[in-house]
Amino acid sequence: MSEKIDWFKGPVCGQENCKSKWYYEDAGKTICRWGHEQEGVQTQQDEDDFGTQGRKTRIRKETQEKVSRISRGHSAVELYLQAYQLISWKQCHALINIIGLPAELESVVKDLWALRLQLLKGKTNEDTVFSSQPQTETEIESNGEEVGREYKVEGKAMPTLIETLGLCYLGMVLLRTPISMGDLHRWAVREDIPFIRAVRFVPAVIKQKLPAEYLKALDTTSPLEPDRLRKAVHNLSLFYRHHFELVFPPLNTPLLLYKHIRDLAVPITLHPITLHLANLLAISFAFPSPGSRQRTSSLPELQLISLLIIATKLYHPFDGLPRHIPSLTDPAALSIDWPSWVQAQKAHNTLNSDENHLQRGSEINITEVDAMKMSDEQLDEYMDYYERTFIDSDRVEQKLPKDLLDMFPTGRLDGSEPASYSYQEQFAKEQEAVEETLGAVIGSMRLRNVISKESEEPVRRIGSFYRRYRRAEDLDGNAKVFHEKVAERMGVKLDTLVLAVGQMERLLIKWREANVKEGLEEEGEEDTGGGEDEGDGEENDNVEMMDESE
């Protein structure tokens, strides 16, 4: 007959996944119900242990050091740069495969990025600095005129998200592609290329390890404001020139100027006039050097569009006053009917938009008041945008149980699919609208009266009563609509555009004063009272074109 075993209850055995809590003692050892001997527990009763029955002895578990999932130091910086590089590659991929730019763009941007990385070796997140405008911001004096200052070197500042677009733009400049900053700004806003909430394109395995400040740097919680891309391009061009002596080529001026003229629906005769003004000021549309004074008009594309505006104001002023030409071969023989131009632009905006649908790229600007006025279809489109931009479907399915997801499903309740969007279709629609706008503007142009130069009758000539606008608040009527349209196409603020035009106008005034002074000195030296030749007459016409009416 076997001995009776005294069982007692204790903690879970745990050996070989044993779940037993019942033990017995045998020769001073504690053994579980399934024969697992418990190490480190002595149950042999000594003489000194008399009367200690019932005392529990627990095995103290080893304390395990908690390992943080968030990377720190150099590894965090390396992960951030990998995520940044992935976003830049996705932008290049979209520009090549969706927009249709040359395939060499990816290699050029890669080389620019490789140069940028050379200054970030050995960087840790303890000395991380995020700065979107560290170098070329300018100061404004009390009289409203801008004073440039030299470029300040900030080579080790961490790259920001807006600089990915700047790298793409400089890559297109190196390839001599006639793409403007406004085009790149528009593609980013409309999500033709990845930029809005770019952090959603980063793999989850990287996002889980990135510190909060790095995730924030890759995220966009507000619209892409005008001027941000301009500042980024200006800073990067100076950065590469200073650190690597990389000189970017001038803009592809003829093609880019033609594109601006066509998009703004102004006469093609302004093309040679704009280039002539550039020759007078010896402007090559090259990027500025770090040692020169940095102004708003230092960026070559702003120089080009400013000269186009000046040419428009000279040959097609907004005041509506009749002006006369010496012959029908004059470039200003036809004048723009500005009220018709404004109406054509309104019709252009109508063709590009649909009242029943949200305009692509406008979703991020929607407020609570706008949402209250939306139709059912517009609300569905806005929720589609929110789901596409802010919701990580894979993470939701992992974190939430299926029963809860079934109670609150994503997507449209009626089961319909969101309207498909194609860049090619949108581009074709925009080109059709541009063609119709051009036809309406050209059809409304009027022929000016011809009065020869020999006529003694006082008449207004082209360029007389030229008006300058020192501030955006001075714009009114047709002039305001025109400048707003140009600022929108360029992706800059209206104040920035007016300031750049004013700076170019001051250069032309200085050129005129220098030529007048030189002519007076030559006349004094020769001391002749003879008539003017044909070249002198042309110079006087240019002087008259810059006369100012205050």
Side-chain angles (χ1 to χ4, degrees), residues 29-231:
K29 299 179 181 179
T30 302
I31 303 175
C32 79
R33 183 174 182 177
W34 303 109
H36 297 128
E37 181 179 342
Q38 305 301 303
E39 298 179 357
V41 179
Q42 182 180 356
T43 59
Q44 182 74 31
Q45 185 174 354
D46 297 332
E47 295 179 356
D48 296 335
D49 292 336
F50 179 78
T52 59
Q53 288 84 352
R55 178 181 297 176
K56 295 182 179 180
T57 303
R58 300 183 182 277
I59 301 176
R60 183 172 296 178
K61 297 182 179 179
E62 297 182 1
T63 57
Q64 297 181 354
E65 183 180 357
K66 294 183 178 180
V67 180
S68 175
R69 297 173 58 186
I70 305 298
S71 299
R72 300 294 178 186
H74 180 73
S75 60
V77 175
E78 185 176 356
L79 278 177
Y80 173 78
L81 295 178
Q82 290 177 0
Y84 189 92
Q85 181 173 310
L86 176 62
I87 294 172
S88 182
W89 176 83
K90 285 182 174 291
Q91 290 177 349
C92 293
H93 185 270
L95 288 171
I96 295 171
N97 295 278
I98 298 179
I99 307 300
L101 297 185
E104 293 81 5
L105 177 64
E106 181 179 343
S107 299
V108 174
V109 173
K110 181 181 178 181
D111 293 339
L112 291 175
W113 174 240
L115 292 176
R116 182 76 171 90
L117 284 177
Q118 292 182 12
L119 299 180
L120 297 174
K121 291 181 179 179
K123 194 171 185 62
T124 62
N125 64 345
E126 282 78 11
D127 54 0
T128 296
V129 176
F130 289 102
S131 178
S132 60
Q133 45 189 24
Q135 291 104 352
T136 61
E137 286 310 289
T138 51
E139 298 174 350
I140 305 298
E141 289 186 348
S142 58
N143 59 1
E145 295 186 359
E146 186 182 37
V147 177
R149 64 186 182 191
E150 292 187 358
Y151 170 67
K152 183 180 179 182
V153 179
E154 291 287 351
K156 292 189 176 181
M158 290 291 287
T160 55
L161 184 60
I162 188 64
E163 292 181 12
T164 58
L165 298 180
L167 289 176
C168 292
Y169 179 81
L170 293 178
M172 291 185 288
V173 170
L174 289 171
L175 293 176
R176 307 283 289 162
T177 306
I179 301 296
S180 68
M181 290 186 299
D183 294 329
L184 194 59
H185 183 277
R186 194 159 43 254
W187 293 335
V189 170
R190 293 191 317 200
E191 298 184 70
D192 293 325
I193 59 177
F195 181 78
I196 303 297
R197 297 217 69 241
V199 69
R200 59 192 162 117
F201 300 103
V202 179
V205 66
I206 296 180
K207 286 192 292 186
Q208 292 173 357
K209 298 181 180 180
L210 279 176
E213 60 269 22
Y214 291 107
L215 291 174
K216 184 179 180 181
L218 297 175
D219 200 356
T220 53
T221 57
S222 60
L224 177 57
E225 297 179 355
D227 272 350
R228 286 190 61 197
L229 180 57
R230 173 188 67 84
K231 295 174 184 177

Side-chain angles (χ1 to χ4, degrees), residues 219-407:
D219 200 356
T220 53
T221 57
S222 60
L224 177 57
E225 297 179 355
D227 272 350
R228 286 190 61 197
L229 180 57
R230 173 188 67 84
K231 295 174 184 177
V233 170
H234 198 167
N235 292 343
L236 285 174
S237 65
L238 296 173
F239 168 83
Y240 283 105
R241 180 72 176 271
H242 177 84
H243 290 284
F244 306 103
E245 298 183 359
L246 176 59
V247 180
F248 292 93
L251 299 179
N252 193 345
T253 306
L255 292 180
L256 189 58
L257 179 57
Y258 170 76
K259 183 176 183 299
H260 286 316
I261 289 175
R262 185 174 182 274
D263 291 341
L264 294 173
V266 293
I268 192 62
T269 53
L270 294 177
H271 193 285
I273 297 171
T274 304
L275 297 180
H276 176 64
L277 292 176
N279 290 332
L280 294 180
L281 300 177
I283 294 178
S284 62
F285 301 107
F287 285 83
S289 61
S292 61
R293 295 177 64 189
Q294 306 303 322
R295 297 181 175 181
T296 302
S297 60
S298 297
L299 203 62
E301 193 169 349
L302 276 181
Q303 294 176 347
L304 180 62
I305 201 66
S306 298
L307 291 176
L308 177 59
I309 292 176
I310 293 174
T312 304
K313 292 166 64 178
L314 284 170
Y315 283 79
H316 305 279
F318 304 104
D319 53 19
L321 296 176
R323 288 171 175 81
H324 306 281
I325 54 176
S327 66
L328 290 177
T329 59
D330 194 280
L334 293 174
S335 65
I336 298 177
D337 182 20
W338 285 110
S340 300
W341 185 91
V342 172
Q343 292 298 324
Q345 294 298 326
K346 292 181 180 179
H348 174 89
N349 296 334
T350 303
L351 290 173
N352 280 333
S353 60
D354 189 350
E355 294 182 357
N356 298 325
H357 298 277
L358 293 178
Q359 187 175 359
R360 183 83 173 184
S362 65
E363 297 92 345
I364 198 170
N365 296 312
I366 290 177
T367 62
E368 296 86 346
V369 178
D370 298 330
M372 296 299 294
K373 301 177 182 178
M374 288 183 185
S375 62
D376 294 341
E377 182 64 25
Q378 290 175 336
L379 285 172
D380 286 339
E381 292 177 353
Y382 179 69
M383 296 308 296
D384 293 336
Y385 160 79
Y386 195 93
E387 179 181 354
R388 180 179 70 249
T389 307
F390 290 92
I391 296 180
D392 189 350
S393 301
D394 296 336
R395 185 177 180 183
V396 169
E397 293 178 358
Q398 294 176 0
K399 296 293 183 180
L400 298 178
K402 185 177 183 304
D403 295 339
L404 184 60
L405 290 176
D406 293 338
M407 294 175 61

